Amino acid sequence: MKVTRRDLLVWSAGATAGLLFTPVPWKLLDDVSIWSQNWPWIPQPTRGPVDVKLSFCTLCPNGCGMRVRMAGGWPVGVAGAGCHPVSRGALCPLGFAAHQLNWHPRRLSRVCYRGNTSSWGEARVAFTKACGEGPIMIIDGHPGRAASSAFETFVQRRGSYRVVPGQETRALAPYGTWSGIPAAALGYDLENAGTIVSFGAPLLDGWGTPGRLTRLWAERAAGLADPQLHLIQVEPSFSRTAARAWQYVTIRAGGEGAVAEGVARVLLEEHLVPARGPMPSLTLVEVAEQAGVSTDAIRDLARTIVARPPVVAVADDNNPAIAALNVVLGAVGARGGIVRRSKHIRQDVCAEAAIRGMRAVLIDSTVPWDFVPQTDAEVFRFAAWDGGSTKADWLLPAPGFLEDLTDVPTAPTSGMETYAVAPSLAEAPTEVQSAAQFLSSIDPTLVTVDKVIHTRCSEIFRQRMGTLWGQDVTPVAKFVSVQKLEEELWKGAVWIGEPHHAGGLRCQLNDWPEAIGPARTSNASPPWLVPVLPSLASKLYQESGLRESPEGRSA
Amino acid sequence: MASSVLADSRWIARGAERTSLPQFLLWLAPWAVVLAAGVYAAGLCLFYGLNQTNMDNRFAFGLWIFLDLGMIALGAGAFFTGFLVYILKRVELKPILNSAVVVGFICYSGAIAILMIDVGQPLRAWFTFWHPNTHSMLTEVTFCISCYLLVLSLEYLPILLRNRQLRKLPSFLVFEHQLHNLVPVLAGVGALLSFFHQGSLGGLYGVLRGRPFAFREGFFIWPSTFFLFILSAIASGPSFLILVTAAVEKVTGRRLVPQELFRRLGFISGVLLAIYVAAKSIDTLIWLNVTSPSVGFAPWQYYIYKPFGTPILFTEIVLLGLLPAFLLTYPRSASRRRWLLTAAALACAGVLLNRFVLTVQTLALPTLAFDEFLQYTPSWQEAASFGGVIAYGVIVYSLSYRYLPLFAQPKGQNTHVPGN
Amino acid sequence: MSARYGMVIDLDRCTGCGACMMACAAENNVPPVPRATPRTGLTPMLVRKVSNGGEGVDRREVFIPIMCMHCERETPCVGVCPQQAVEVDKATGIVMQMPQRCLGCRYCMTACPYHARYFNWWDPQWPAGMEKALNPGVAVRMRGVVEKCNLCHARLHSATQKAAATGKREINPADYVPACVEACPTAAIRFGNLADKHDPLSLEVRSPDTFRFLTRLGTEPKVYYKSKEAWVRALAESNSGSGVETKRG
């Protein structure tokens, strides 16, 4: 039989119709659909058992409590830990993306010597040589950690140990000078304050332990017709804190000290406070001129702040005039004011930018990137992220977020003494080393971080003071063994010391302090210490226009 | 060289005078360049994604949607002429029918091509047929446009098969004949499909409850823009046919259709435009006084952002609506070719402006109290794709004109007009 | 029993820190695409800054977190989607977006009066190796599809699973808290079930200080805002260009 074209056509048509009744075309359609819904090149999250661990944020010295969601052995999400009695479940915005920081494009992953790739071995040789040749200096950004102890031990016979205090610690310096108590042992008893006058401090924008004040403000001030907490912001720019403050006083840039003097003068002249201290040198007219506000406004401000005691003034940085105002207000060593929270703290020496007579300087990764030493010494700088140009000879890659075991001493502004342990949750890249590990490799007899942590836990156990805040709140006295206590701390509990001793701090003003230099220009961005923001944060802030990215920090 | 010219002439209809092949290729060359640029730009958009455009989260629709709406409105001449010829038996319009089909085919296929670039996942476009949301105007548009493109292709096919060489194949001739018998049915189906998708394109914006500038009350499930779009499309479609034909006459230097046909088309266009303008005015008044205030939007605030002031509304309704309607229907102006063409151009500009306002102004206007008025400038990729579609249209039309009997008319009329 | 999840955002408590944006983006695996601009990025939760236009002591500012409002009635985005990629989940009241179904026509974006929908203009990318740090509960969306807030549906899913594992049908409300709510340091964002009369949120939405944006459009959004300041409440229904000064973000 001859096959005609017609036969072929009929056969094709029949086959097509028949095929439609088989599952083949529909299955194919479905497969195409599924294929077009799942491109193989789209990154997929790694799956794995999900687990939640308690830890602490180590991006700044405040050590907020975090709940870290882990999947497949990696941190995949961060949230605040409500059991932390200071941060109380809140984190600053950066914390929520901090686990992504370890993959930041500016993460340091190799040893660099003057811009060229080098090795840990060479760095060790160079540092050992420097140690043998002359004095060295170690500079620490978060003093009081176990690593800080190791640093101090290392330099005992080899040189000196210096710290770079944060803005918040610097603001407490005048009280330290006047009372003889180290500023690092002082804090604010904000929980008991009735009025907080902030001179440009970004109180609602990451100041101190970020969650502490925002939680307090939210409970006692926000949206209340008659707030129990008056938050007064004196600031040149209409900052986030100014926008939400109970009262906002706009001043000329650098006029914070003058306003403090003016307020103190009114308080003393009108006997609004019991103090009879020295009268400020500036007259009200001079204050008005310097600060760009009317004399009436200053009088009003003085009367307003004493309306709801206790009152405490908070400075943005070291400003003796504002500290003196606190003395006039009777806020030093008083409930709701500046308090002494710890008894045994050594006075640390602050690092000067100009360093002389040193053979080498080792800068820990906790030191803010904007601290650049002026020195002819050989500089060994540890850092997890590249913050831009640096004068360091050696750039040494340090562990990033949650990649290293550390302990968390009391936060700089806290009114209570705290202690916590942040174990390493993420695997560090093989190329990184912390400063403490580096020093241990040079001096194997050097005490290690975990040993110091163990000693400190034993000390807490031995003193039988304070309470442990974890899943439950347990007094230390209830613990039967140091192992049990240590176990709890390693699992994310926080130790809280005995309540502060309000009376332990006295400041006497004989003369009104000299104004020191012009105050820093008001800082619109919060005092974030990481040299780079998580990429997500930079992008979201850029895309929302909510904040300007901190200048020069994330390019 | 000579043989290639000869080869080409074998494809040209007997008796039709066409320019030489080199001259024709010279005419096509610049358009081919524009088309190539368009294809390149479209390729960039498909390969790298829509970040190649300047559209953004607020301006989610841009130049391309305006182009789609505009082309589909102007392409309405195809279905409407078919409807007039085959359903209403206005046989005097038949000479222009083939050309109208080609114009319609170009407009619709171009619009669909652009839509395929415009969606983020073109490979999933068929999901609309797989999981259709029957409540969505866009579903209706997708179904009707794709079906109507099929209809247009079927209408285009007999024209294609009437090519001198293709006719020689007996089976093609039979097929063409069969198709030709089907054409009146296709015209009916096309009219129905077009009625719905032209309307749905209007409904696309009219249903946007969240955009008070576009939102309209209406009849049953259709907002008023549904009907206004149908009206404006069938009003401007014939005008666009006049323009296209006049342009072809200008380029080829031939009179292709009797002047009377122009006047006839113009009259139809003018009358419909007048009805449209009346309906549009009533709709605008209802919208300004009832619909918009009822959702708390004061009408004045739509017009405070430049360049979208009230002059644009005036231009749309009076200068590009009422005026051409008058010029197209008033015998003294309609009988003058120059006036007629001007009026047709104004009518087409009017419908384009209407589509522009609805697509662009709707998105530019803020809704929340703290939104700002946004601006958007198309990227070169968007503009080039746009240009590519126009070049595609010119090329397809030129090829069709050269090789197919677009303007079928008695012998002797298709002659060279001296001095033109 | 079906739920109607909703929110009250207390604007008097919002300090505009952006923690909600950050937590939302981290939870939902939003890629930090370097080339995205403020108009082509993904911010399912977007905090905007609005001032009253005053100067000096008259100046007031408010931060307004904007997200999908989960409209209940004539949900503008649902009806327009040609292929049912958007739906209102009857059991929860959540307006769901299915990225796998979306063809990226963006019609829903033009329909949304709150501009709360975002298109993936860019391929999702992260620094090399960072897939390990992504949230395993949320699938990454590919380029060319629309996305928006789904009230952290993945968290609801795990809460449901957890309840089912213990043989319960109802979830424990404590198990289902969206990331932004959890992150807000001032507890300005409150979340709850509006269908539950005993939920504190149901009481709060009846407060005279509570309002919603653009209720006049009749879409019944389920995200409420709250402020004691009259000028802030007036923003809800006032027309744009009526004097308030705005800044994106």
Side-chain angles (χ1 to χ4, degrees), chain A residues 164-189:
Chain A
V164 178
Q167 240 160 274
E168 291 126 352
T169 311
R170 287 204 295 272
L172 290 165
Y175 313 102
T177 316
W178 298 336
S179 67
I181 295 168
L186 306 180
Y188 297 88
D189 180 27

Side-chain angles (χ1 to χ4, degrees), chain B residues 46-47 51 56-57 60-61 118 120-121 124 127-128 131-133 136 139 204 211 295-296 301 366-367 370-371 375, chain C residues 39 41 48 74 78-84 99 102-107 110 113 115 119 121 143 216 239-240:
Chain B
L46 290 172
F47 190 77
N51 51 58
D56 56 52
N57 292 322
F61 285 174
D118 200 357
Q121 291 282 344
R124 297 185 193 166
F127 285 17
T128 303
H131 318 276
N133 175 10
S136 172
T139 308
L204 216 58
R211 302 285 180 158
V295 289
Q301 71 176 107
T367 47
F370 41 87
D371 272 344
Q375 295 192 336
Chain C
R39 282 166 68 169
R48 306 192 52 174
E74 305 206 39
V78 170
V80 298
C81 177
Q83 39 202 22
Q84 303 188 32
C102 175
L103 91 157
C105 71
R106 307 186 295 289
Y107 188 19
T110 66
H115 317 304
F119 185 69
W121 299 97
R143 173 184 99 194
R216 55 196 161 149
N239 290 325
S240 57

Side-chain angles (χ1 to χ4, degrees), chain A residues 105-315:
Chain A
R106 287 167 76 168
R107 180 78 202 267
L108 292 171
S109 60
R110 57 196 173 92
V111 175
C112 247
Y113 177 64
R114 297 192 175 157
N116 302 313
T117 304
S118 182
S119 69
W120 280 107
E122 287 174 46
R124 213 170 288 130
V125 169
F127 195 73
T128 314
K129 183 163 174 265
C131 287
E133 285 176 6
I136 55 156
M137 178 185 277
I138 296 183
I139 301 177
D140 189 3
H142 296 184
R145 293 170 303 147
S148 313
S149 269
F151 297 159
E152 286 180 79
T153 317
F154 188 86
V155 293
Q156 253 167 15
R157 288 183 311 276
R158 295 184 174 99
S160 42
Y161 170 79
R162 294 285 182 273
V163 300
V164 178
Q167 240 160 274
E168 291 126 352
T169 311
R170 287 204 295 272
L172 290 165
Y175 313 102
T177 316
W178 298 336
S179 67
I181 295 168
L186 306 180
Y188 297 88
D189 180 27
L190 298 175
E191 284 75 6
N192 289 310
T195 303
I196 303 175
V197 200
S198 151
F199 289 85
L203 291 189
L204 296 179
D205 198 17
W207 180 86
T209 308
R212 181 183 177 207
L213 206 75
T214 44
R215 288 276 197 246
L216 198 63
W217 173 80
E219 287 158 5
R220 295 178 52 203
L224 297 178
D226 179 28
Q228 301 155 319
L229 173 67
H230 288 177
L231 177 58
I232 301 172
Q233 187 74 3
V234 181
E235 199 176 350
S237 62
F238 195 70
S239 67
R240 240 163 266 273
T241 309
R244 297 262 65 99
W246 181 68
Q247 195 186 334
Y248 165 52
V249 180
T250 172
I251 57 163
R252 193 172 288 158
E256 289 90 349
V259 173
E261 286 199 32
V263 169
R265 175 174 279 275
V266 175
L267 293 175
L268 293 168
E269 277 179 358
E270 297 188 7
H271 304 295
L272 296 170
V273 286
R276 296 283 172 272
M279 197 57 92
S281 46
L282 291 179
T283 66
L284 268 195
V285 179
E286 285 167 335
V287 167
E289 198 161 293
Q290 280 189 20
V293 286
S294 69
T295 53
D296 285 345
I298 293 169
R299 273 183 217 286
D300 283 347
L301 179 61
R303 289 167 197 155
T304 312
I305 63 172
V306 291
R308 189 179 286 272
V311 193
V312 63
V314 179

Side-chain angles (χ1 to χ4, degrees), chain A residues 37 43 46-47 67 69 74 76 93 96 103 215 217-218 222-223 238 240 244 536-537 539 541 543-545 547, chain C residues 13-17 22 27 33 36 61 100 127-130 132 134 136 140 142 182 185-186 228 247-249:
Chain A
Q37 289 175 22
T46 5
R47 314 259 159 184
R67 275 186 300 124
R69 202 148 27 116
W74 293 93
V76 295
F96 293 97
W103 283 272
R215 288 276 197 246
W217 173 80
F238 195 70
R240 240 163 266 273
R244 297 262 65 99
L536 198 57
K539 278 314 285 176
Y541 284 142
E543 283 165 20
S544 65
R547 287 178 202 273
Chain C
R13 283 178 174 224
C14 179
T15 63
C17 69
M22 211 67 72
E27 166 78 15
V33 181
E61 262 179 16
Q100 287 80 7
M130 216 191 92
K132 288 200 275 283
L134 297 183
V140 172
M142 62 290 290
E182 186 182 62
T186 58
K228 285 207 185 306
K247 182 173 177 288
R248 196 194 148 87

